[in-house]
Amino acid sequence: MAKKILIVDDDKRIVLLLASRLKANNYEIAVAYDALQAVAQAFSEKPDLILLDMKMPAGSGVSVMDDLRNSTNTALIPVIVITAYPSIEIQQKVKEMGAVGFISKPFKAEDLLPRIRKVLGE
Amino acid sequence: MSSMTDALIVVNPDATLRSVNRAALDMLDYKEEELIGQPVETIILQEEGQRLTCFQNIFVTGVTFNMGLTFLTKQRKRIPVNISGAAIQQEGKIIGIVGVARDMRQIRTSISEWEEKKTEIEERGKKSVRMQRAMLHIMGDLDISNKEIGKANKELQKLDQLKSDFVSTVSHELRSPLTVTREAISQVLDGVCGEINEEQKQFLFMSIEGIDRLARLIENLLDISKIESHKIDLKRELVDIVSLAKEVSSSFAFAFQSKGLVAKYNFPKDKIELYVDKDRIIQIFVNLMSNAVKFTPAGYIEISIVDKENVVECFVSDTGIGISDEDLLKVFDKFEQFGREFECAEKGTGLGLAISKGNIELHRGLIWAESKLGQGTKISFTLPKYSPRELFKEYVTNGLAKAIKAGAPLSIIVFEVKYYDTLREKSGQDKIASIVHSLGQLIKTDLRRKSDISIKDSRAILVVLPETDKKCAWATADRLKSSFDDYLSKEGLVKDVEVDSRIASFPEDAQTEEELLNGVQLQENIEK
């Protein structure tokens, strides 16, 4: 069965492109465009992995991670952070919160895909 | 008596002159023989005869006197004098009077001079009061200018901050459209949206390369703006510079090989641990090596590390096109690019060496370039070596700064091998070092949080525990000590080795870095 990945980014073009790339690599896709949708989608879709942007409306990547960690339904979903603001502080912060990966924009598919496979144990 | 500058006369009891000195003769314009034996009235104005009586009276009373008289010169010129005198006694009998006369003309002149001077001084005083007032005005003006300069300075700082913020914001904001562009082109290129022909592929590949170069430029701009606004936080840790340089070199092996360049490595056998930000140092090596490859059409590239007393000196040299003397002066400036006429596949951003310099300076090192046009370039840099003692201090300083910022407690524990000197004589330094190493490993496995760190020298281990108060620190120390005991008894060392532990906590018993270090007696005990 195909693994499901939740893409969270307020930039619809990036969501579209990531979805296209991941579908081409045989993943199932769920999407969210802000922090609240992200948490809702994580609950309802139960994805195997979340690709999470940091800066977005109705919260932030950090608040999403907080919400996910506080619920047993979503606490164990691995998160890879994809951000245009890759500061050391944010990197440390999300690492402490349990993010399994940290990728800065602009990302390259040849870096992103192996990371995803590794996290999903493929 | 003859050398005195004041006139001196000696008078006999019969009121005749017994002797006079040179100054008196000069003043009165007589020769000595013209005066000796003459009555004193010869040289003292008659009108003052009344006083002369008093003068004679001294012979009876013997008291000293001090009075104003008028001397008469040979030419009958009057000289006002002030005369001080005393009776000369022999066996209770007065045998003469000695008098010292001071020419009052000089003093009067002096007085009048003094009065002139006084007026002058008063004038000057008035002037100076005027000047003082003027100065006050000037000072006032200066104060205003100073404030204005301060204001201008603040404005400039604000502008500088604005510039940095602008660069930072723009750089970040550029990332999103760049991501979209790159990924869209990349998917078409990868055939995600269907087959494309060779020419299309080639063109798309060129645009991906352009985007990647733009991305690098943005990274570098961000870096330089962070360096210039001192916003860089070095993530320092102990890093073996030798293996780091080896790693970077091996990642360049293919690039060297494909250009037919020979790589010469000059690395020390032993590792050299430096307290640096690993990523930043990698960035410097990558930078220097890619420059070397880029500007060297043939020959060799040498990478060298030399362990010196207080620093480690590294260099990357090549047999490339070199840099002219004129350009060499600007080599570390921003946006300076050289050897442009030289064909190279990848164009630089003109920021690499400026960033390298900034990075080296953040590490308190030096960087410099030597080059000869047509012969090659050598870029060298140094990184300081910290003694374990300085490192301990650095860790405590950093830990404390974070604790104060976060308003959280901080504890430090020092474990030290007791009776170190005796033990060293008995078992040898290597043995102790290996014991300390094992204890260090035990600590590392035991520490539960990422933020807890430990660092050791030959005899002591420092453990820094953020967000830990004294009570919890003791619990940690006890836990660690019992794991030490297990290890020591397993190794049969319990009788020989004893480990002492000391704790200091912020803010409970220490407020400053010094107090923390004193609290664990680090000052005296840790050798350099």
Side-chain angles (χ1 to χ4, degrees), chain B residues 415 417 432-447 453-457 460-463 480 483-484 487 499:
Chain B
F415 294 104
V417 175
I432 308 174
S434 90
I435 292 169
V436 172
H437 179 77
S438 307
L439 298 183
Q441 290 305 115
L442 284 174
I443 293 175
K444 280 204 172 124
T445 20
D446 181 277
L447 291 181
I453 46 166
S454 75
I455 175 165
K456 62 181 193 301
D457 71 356
I461 303 169
L462 168 80
V463 183
L480 288 169
S483 76
F484 294 172
Y487 162 79
V499 180

Side-chain angles (χ1 to χ4, degrees), chain B residues 74-108:
Chain B
K74 197 173 173 183
Q75 288 79 33
R76 314 310 290 167
K77 210 173 112 190
R78 297 173 183 209
I79 299 174
V81 291
N82 195 353
I83 200 158
S84 304
I88 308 166
Q89 300 193 10
Q90 204 172 42
E91 292 161 359
K93 253 180 82 187
I94 294 170
I95 55 155
I97 292 172
V98 61
V100 180
R102 175 159 296 169
D103 189 338
M104 291 309 283
R105 288 172 310 179
Q106 282 175 15
I107 291 172
R108 288 204 181 138

Side-chain angles (χ1 to χ4, degrees), chain A residues 17 20-21 84-85 105 107, chain B residues 172-173 175 183 186-187 190:
Chain A
L17 286 163
S20 151
R21 175 72 80 180
Y85 295 80
K105 289 178 184 171
F107 56 83
Chain B
H172 283 123
E173 289 306 319
R175 284 169 192 260
E183 184 57 16
S186 163
Q187 288 193 26
D190 290 350

Side-chain angles (χ1 to χ4, degrees), chain A residues 9 11 13-14 16-22 24-25 55 82-89 91-92 95-96 104-110, chain B residues 168-169 171-173 175-184 186-187 190 192-193 211-212 215 219 222 226 233-235 277 280 450-451:
Chain A
D9 200 310
D11 189 331
R13 298 163 304 172
I14 288 177
L16 178 78
L17 286 163
L18 275 172
S20 151
R21 175 72 80 180
L22 294 173
N25 284 273
K55 230 185 144 185
I82 302 182
T83 179
Y85 295 80
S87 71
I88 291 172
E89 297 86 65
Q91 199 168 345
Q92 269 169 353
K95 222 172 166 182
E96 272 168 33
S104 56
K105 289 178 184 171
F107 56 83
K108 295 178 181 176
E110 55 262 45
Chain B
S168 163
T169 311
S171 308
H172 283 123
E173 289 306 319
R175 284 169 192 260
S176 290
L178 216 53
T179 311
V180 174
T181 318
R182 194 191 192 283
E183 184 57 16
S186 163
Q187 288 193 26
D190 290 350
V192 173
C193 318
I211 290 166
D212 284 347
E219 288 306 314
L222 258 178
K226 270 191 257 169
D233 230 358
L234 291 180
K235 261 194 307 175
D277 185 326
R280 301 262 152 210
K450 272 219 172 86
S451 47

Side-chain angles (χ1 to χ4, degrees), chain B residues 222-424:
Chain B
L222 258 178
D223 260 352
I224 205 92
S225 103
K226 270 191 257 169
I227 286 170
E228 283 182 348
S229 60
H230 309 288
K231 270 189 185 160
I232 270 194
D233 230 358
L234 291 180
K235 261 194 307 175
R236 297 214 271 191
E237 56 190 328
L238 279 181
V239 175
D240 173 18
I241 184 100
V242 180
S243 59
L244 180 144
K246 279 182 186 164
E247 263 173 54
V248 179
S249 303
S250 68
S251 75
F252 271 85
F254 179 72
F256 294 157
Q257 212 180 357
S258 56
K259 275 193 94 169
L261 299 171
V262 177
K264 290 187 184 175
Y265 302 119
N266 175 23
F267 296 140
K269 265 184 235 145
D270 299 325
K271 67 176 181 180
I272 309 172
E273 287 199 320
L274 298 177
Y275 186 56
V276 293
D277 185 326
K278 192 176 174 184
D279 292 338
R280 301 262 152 210
I281 304 301
I282 289 177
Q283 196 182 7
I284 294 164
F285 272 115
V286 166
N287 222 313
L288 299 185
M289 287 187 211
S290 45
N291 275 346
V293 174
K294 211 187 288 179
F295 297 113
T296 308
Y300 66 86
I301 286 167
E302 185 177 356
I303 298 136
S304 165
I305 293 178
V306 183
D307 192 2
K308 299 204 163 169
E309 201 184 333
N310 295 315
V311 295
V312 171
E313 194 176 307
C314 311
F315 71 75
V316 176
S317 72
D318 61 54
T319 55
I321 59 172
I323 304 165
S324 71
D325 288 349
E326 191 194 329
D327 286 344
L328 199 56
L329 297 172
K330 300 182 288 186
V331 87
F332 293 108
D333 292 353
K334 275 185 287 181
F335 299 112
E336 291 291 347
Q337 288 182 308
F338 310 103
R340 264 265 147 119
E341 66 276 12
F342 185 71
E343 288 273 329
C344 55
E346 222 177 65
K347 273 186 184 144
T349 58
L351 289 169
L353 283 177
I355 291 171
S356 297
K357 183 168 187 267
N359 278 336
I360 286 292
E361 282 167 0
L362 281 172
H363 283 90
R364 292 181 211 137
L366 293 170
I367 186 164
W368 66 96
E370 299 153 81
S371 189
K372 269 243 161 70
L373 209 54
Q375 290 184 20
T377 303
K378 177 179 172 185
I379 311 272
S380 315
F381 63 89
T382 60
L383 287 168
K385 289 200 288 191
Y386 286 88
S387 65
R389 169 77 186 72
E390 286 165 319
L391 261 186
F392 281 18
K393 213 175 150 188
E394 188 89 28
Y395 272 87
V396 172
T397 308
N398 291 346
L400 185 62
K402 276 185 196 151
I404 289 171
K405 204 175 154 194
L410 169 87
S411 291
I412 60 174
I413 313 175
V414 162
F415 294 104
E416 190 177 13
V417 175
K418 266 181 158 178
Y419 319 116
Y420 179 78
D421 292 326
T422 342
L423 204 61
R424 186 172 58 183

